[in-house]
């Protein structure tokens, strides 16, 4: 009936605007926002209501355009409303921040975010996220860091914020700040996600804090947070070695299902060599089955020759080295050692 009344020539613009406003309420109840937008647009066109009422309708339409992903008309209306006497500027700023952001005009969004932040005491978390994301999009990492530093303080229980801040520090090659951020998050019980723990371990390794990385990984495996697959096993061995925990590295290799592979037997033999346990090193090397003239075979025989030399068996050491000089991967080093032993 109301829609039929709109077609009547007897109705003036004010009456038609009133009918459209009533219809828009019905459309809102039906979640039909395209029809709401059409009705509001027509009311604005008639311009029969008082300016304050028109401004309120414009504002509502700008929000509807935003929800309908029509960002340009939303921006146009919002800019018209910046000097409105009936609307709060912050409400208009909110629409502009979002519309410019989704329109991918990040610098404009940042501009209105700054105005919004400077005129409002309490800022909701979502607005910080928009501002932070805008800085990241334009690769302004310094301001992204400043924003995330505030977010970490205000929303300290959010694990992802700590990790994002650490990642930004890493991006700017501020590895010590990255490590300190993750350490604080871990100390405060915020860092719990498996991938974030692994990231903490990685940053610790990049900072040369091998003992910390080793302790973190050992605990994560021990508590079941991280499953010890081959990659984690290798990382455990590596952190043990870099942390100078040779005995723990040896124990880890000997107790692992992966320990029988030549790669890890060679590492184990090298660890025994470092401990000057040369007989144990030779015993491990003798269990390795390798193809002649391969890289692994060359490394195995060269280490064995060094072990025999340390055991004062120079004769056996020279004999092995004379075979290693035929290996294409180790011949240069073998010749150098052999030359010094025969001189």
């Amino acid at each position: 009936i109301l829609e039929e009344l709109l077609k009547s020539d007897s109705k003036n613009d004010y009456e038609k605007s009133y009918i459209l406003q009533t219809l828009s309420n019905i459309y809102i109840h039906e979640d039909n926002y395209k029809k709401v937008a059409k009705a509001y647009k027509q009311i604005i066109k008639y311009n029969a209501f008082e300016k304050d009422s028109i401004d309120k309708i414009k504002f509502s339409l700008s929000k509807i355009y935003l929800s309908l992903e029509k960002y340009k008309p939303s921006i146009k209306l919002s800019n018209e409303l910046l000097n409105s006497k009936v609307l709060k500027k912050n409400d208009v700023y909110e629409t502009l921040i979002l519309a410019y952001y989704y329109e991918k005009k990040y610098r404009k969004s940042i501009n209105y975010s700054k105005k919004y932040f400077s005129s409002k005491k309490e800022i909701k978390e979502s607005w910080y996220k928009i501002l932070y994301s805008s800085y990241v999009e334009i690769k302004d990492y310094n301001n992204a860091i400043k924003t995330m530093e505030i977010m970490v303080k205000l929303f300290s229980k959010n694990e992802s914020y700590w990790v994002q801040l650490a990642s930004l520090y890493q991006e700017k090659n501020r590895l010590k700040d990255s490590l300190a951020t993750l350490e604080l998050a871990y100390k405060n019980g915020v860092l719990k996600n498996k991938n974030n723990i692994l990231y903490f371990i990685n940053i610790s390794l990049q900072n040369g804090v091998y003992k910390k990385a080793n302790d973190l990984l050992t605990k994560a495996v021990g508590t079941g947070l991280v499953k010890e697959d081959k990659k984690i096993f290798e990382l455990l061995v590596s952190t043990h070695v870099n942390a100078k925990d040779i005995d723990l590295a040896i124990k880890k290799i000997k107790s692992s299902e992966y320990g029988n592979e030549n790669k890890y037997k060679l590492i184990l033999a090298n660890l025994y060599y470092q401990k000057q346990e040369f007989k144990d090193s030779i015993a491990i090397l003798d269990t390795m089955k390798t193809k002649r003239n391969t890289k692994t075979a060359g490394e195995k025989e060269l280490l064995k020759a060094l072990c025999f030399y340390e055991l004062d068996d120079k004769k056996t050491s020279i004999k092995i080295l004379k075979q290693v000089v035929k290996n294409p991967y180790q011949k240069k080093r073998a010749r150098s050692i052999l030359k010094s032993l025969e001189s």
Side-chain angles (χ1 to χ4, degrees):
I1 297 173
L2 289 171
E3 289 174 346
E4 290 297 321
L5 285 171
L6 280 175
K7 297 175 184 178
S8 172
D9 292 334
S10 63
K11 302 296 180 184
N12 60 37
D13 288 351
Y14 182 86
E15 291 171 325
K16 287 179 180 179
S17 296
Y18 186 80
I19 292 168
L20 284 166
Q21 195 168 40
T22 305
L23 279 170
S24 67
N25 291 331
I26 295 170
Y27 298 147
I28 289 170
H29 186 72
E30 295 173 348
D31 291 331
N32 193 338
Y33 290 100
K34 286 185 178 180
K35 282 193 172 183
V36 177
K38 189 176 179 182
Y40 282 166
K41 191 176 178 181
Q42 191 60 49
I43 292 171
I44 294 166
K45 187 177 180 180
Y46 285 141
N47 198 28
F49 292 157
E50 291 182 359
K51 187 181 184 306
D52 287 355
S53 297
I54 293 294
D55 281 356
K56 288 178 181 178
I57 290 168
K58 282 184 177 181
F59 177 69
S60 296
L61 182 55
S62 72
K63 303 283 277 187
I64 290 168
Y65 278 145
L66 192 63
S67 68
L68 294 174
E69 299 180 9
K70 294 184 177 182
Y71 306 122
K72 286 181 180 178
S74 178
I75 290 167
K76 185 177 182 298
L77 281 172
S78 297
N79 278 316
E80 290 174 6
L81 296 170
L82 283 171
N83 294 318
S84 173
K85 293 179 181 179
V86 71
L87 298 171
K88 294 179 180 178
K89 271 195 177 181
N90 281 336
D91 292 339
V92 182
Y93 288 157
E94 287 181 359
T95 306
L96 284 167
I97 291 165
L98 292 170
Y100 276 124
Y101 178 82
Y102 291 121
E103 188 65 12
K104 297 184 179 179
K105 294 185 177 180
Y106 303 112
R107 294 184 189 278
K108 288 277 191 179
S109 182
I110 289 167
N111 183 44
Y112 283 106
S113 288
K114 288 179 178 178
K115 292 180 180 181
Y116 182 70
F117 278 49
S118 65
S119 61
K120 197 171 175 71
K121 289 184 179 180
E122 292 185 14
I123 311 293
K124 289 184 179 179
E125 185 176 353
S126 58
W127 299 111
Y128 280 102
K129 289 169 74 173
I130 290 286
L131 178 59
Y132 165 74
S133 182
S134 297
Y135 281 130
V136 171
E137 290 289 349
I138 63 172
K139 294 182 170 54
D140 184 350
Y141 296 121
N142 288 328
N143 277 312
I145 286 171
K146 288 177 184 177
T147 305
M148 189 51 72
E149 284 172 342
I150 295 169
M151 291 171 72
V152 161
K153 289 177 182 177
L154 293 175
F155 317 109
S156 60
K157 298 297 180 183
N158 190 312
E159 181 177 1
S160 68
Y161 293 165
W162 290 90
V163 175
Q164 286 177 71
L165 180 57
S167 179
L168 285 169
Y169 284 140
Q170 184 185 17
E171 183 74 28
K172 298 297 291 182
N173 204 31
R174 293 169 59 180
L175 293 179
K176 288 185 178 179
D177 288 330
S178 182
L179 178 62
T181 299
L182 293 170
E183 279 194 275
L184 185 57
Y186 186 77
K187 183 181 178 181
N188 292 342
V190 179
L191 212 62
K192 297 175 182 177
N193 180 275
K194 169 190 168 182
N195 291 331
N196 293 340
I197 296 291
L198 290 174
Y199 178 54
F200 185 15
I201 291 165
N202 181 49
I203 292 296
S204 298
L205 290 171
Q206 287 186 48
N207 277 275
V209 190
Y210 302 114
K211 181 66 176 173
K212 166 66 74 175
N214 181 259
D215 290 345
L216 284 167
L217 188 56
T218 301
K219 184 178 178 180
V221 170
T223 58
L225 179 65
V226 174
K227 183 182 177 183
E228 189 179 328
D229 56 16
K230 193 172 183 178
K231 185 178 178 181
I232 296 299
F233 162 72
E234 288 181 347
L235 191 55
L236 274 167
V237 172
S238 174
T239 55
H240 280 316
V241 171
N242 285 312
K244 309 299 181 185
D245 290 331
I246 304 301
D247 289 334
L248 287 175
I250 289 171
K251 184 180 178 181
K252 172 53 65 177
I253 295 172
K254 290 179 73 174
S255 63
S256 173
E257 60 182 296
Y258 307 112
N260 286 324
E261 295 182 21
N262 279 344
K263 176 181 178 179
Y264 305 114
K265 283 184 177 181
L266 191 59
I267 292 172
L268 183 59
N270 271 290
L271 291 172
Y272 277 127
Y273 181 84
Q274 288 179 42
K275 289 191 69 182
Q276 298 185 357
E277 296 177 9
F278 306 115
K279 289 183 179 179
D280 287 332
S281 183
I282 291 168
I284 295 296
L285 293 170
D286 284 340
T287 67
M288 291 176 63
K289 294 179 180 179
T290 56
K291 290 183 180 180
R292 184 174 298 194
N293 290 332
T294 61
K295 185 178 181 181
T296 302
E299 290 174 346
K300 166 192 168 183
E301 295 303 320
L302 188 62
L303 180 58
K304 188 187 286 189
L306 292 172
C307 286
F308 276 113
Y309 175 77
E310 295 294 344
L311 290 168
D312 294 325
D313 190 345
K314 187 176 178 180
K315 183 179 178 181
T316 303
S317 181
I318 290 173
K319 182 181 177 182
I320 294 170
L321 285 168
K322 284 180 177 180
Q323 294 299 315
V324 181
V325 293
K326 299 174 185 177
N327 185 285
Y329 298 97
Q330 297 294 336
K331 60 183 179 182
K332 189 175 181 180
R333 190 178 175 203
R335 281 174 186 158
S336 175
I337 298 171
L338 187 60
K339 186 178 180 181
S340 65
L341 290 182
E342 288 180 331
S343 61

